[in-house]
Structures are given as C-alpha cells and as structure tokens.
Amino acid sequence: QVQLVESGGGLVQPGGSLRLSCVASGSFSSINVMGWFRQAPGKQRELVARITNDGSTNYADSVKGRFTISRDHAENTVYLQMNTLKPEDTAVYFCNAHITLYGSARYDSWGQGTQVTVSS
C-alpha cells in the first residue's frame, strides 16, 4: 500500500557530499516520522537520522554536524544532506517511515536502499 523509493546514492571521494532523497507514494492517511538508517557489510542496521512532523530531529553521534535531515511535507519526501563524507559512512542507506493508513492502522515502511560508497 505504501512505497518508499530512495535516490541520490553513489560513489564519492572522502570530504565530498551527497544528497539522498526518499519519496513516499501510495494510499495512506499521514506520515508521522521519517528517517534514514544505514547498514554496512557485517554490521547491524543503525539509525542515522530521523525527523518528526513538528520538525524535531535526532542524529547518530557519528554524523552530527555533518548530516542534515529535512522533510518536504507537500511532496511526501525526506532528504539527507551528507557533507564531509568519510569512508566509514560507506553503507546501504534505507529510508524508513511510520505511516498511518486510512482506518487508523499503522504501517512501518522501508525502502529498498541506496548504496553510498566513500572511497578514493
């Protein structure tokens, strides 16, 4: 019923920047929270950043000061601006959304992921 599609990943040199986008589509009442997770090979999936409807944000300690999450409510889109990228940022980045469907049912939606590789 709900689909999240990420874009913007790719290969970048250390110190470079990327902007990830995630667009939610389908039939739903509202999106309560949107965020980004990442998972490197052999590692657990970890929260990178999230944003609520009132604009409150949370960031992983490892990305504070370098990454910025934002949301365009009109377009059901969340962004992750990643600056001063480091090799340890290399991972598959997943978009996540907590969604309320029509009828008040809740749904936790995940995108397929986009690869970010930081390397010389």
Side-chain angles (χ1 to χ4, degrees):
Q1 301 184 65
V2 180
Q3 184 178 20
L4 302 179
V5 179
E6 304 101 333
S7 63
L11 175 65
V12 65
Q13 293 186 344
S17 298
L18 286 174
R19 179 186 286 260
L20 305 184
S21 300
C22 173
V23 180
S25 62
S27 180
F28 51 85
S29 177
S30 63
I31 300 176
N32 306 104
V33 181
M34 298 190 77
W36 292 92
F37 289 72
R38 67 185 181 186
Q39 187 168 22
K43 304 292 184 180
Q44 285 190 328
R45 185 174 298 187
E46 64 174 348
L47 174 68
V48 178
R50 61 186 173 193
I51 185 168
T52 63
N53 285 337
D54 65 359
S56 179
T57 58
N58 294 95
Y59 295 93
D61 289 340
S62 60
V63 307
K64 287 181 179 178
R66 300 188 297 119
F67 291 10
T68 303
I69 188 170
S70 61
R71 181 174 173 178
D72 186 332
H73 293 272
E75 298 182 2
N76 293 319
T77 302
V78 65
Y79 303 94
L80 185 67
Q81 178 66 46
M82 304 185 294
N83 298 325
T84 319
L85 283 162
K86 304 175 180 179
E88 50 263 44
D89 295 318
T90 297
V92 177
Y93 284 71
F94 298 90
C95 181
N96 172 250
H98 298 287
I99 297 170
T100 300
L101 304 177
Y102 293 109
S104 299
R106 293 210 61 190
Y107 185 78
D108 192 6
S109 183
W110 292 88
Q112 293 298 312
T114 184
Q115 177 70 47
V116 172
T117 302
V118 185
S119 175
S120 298

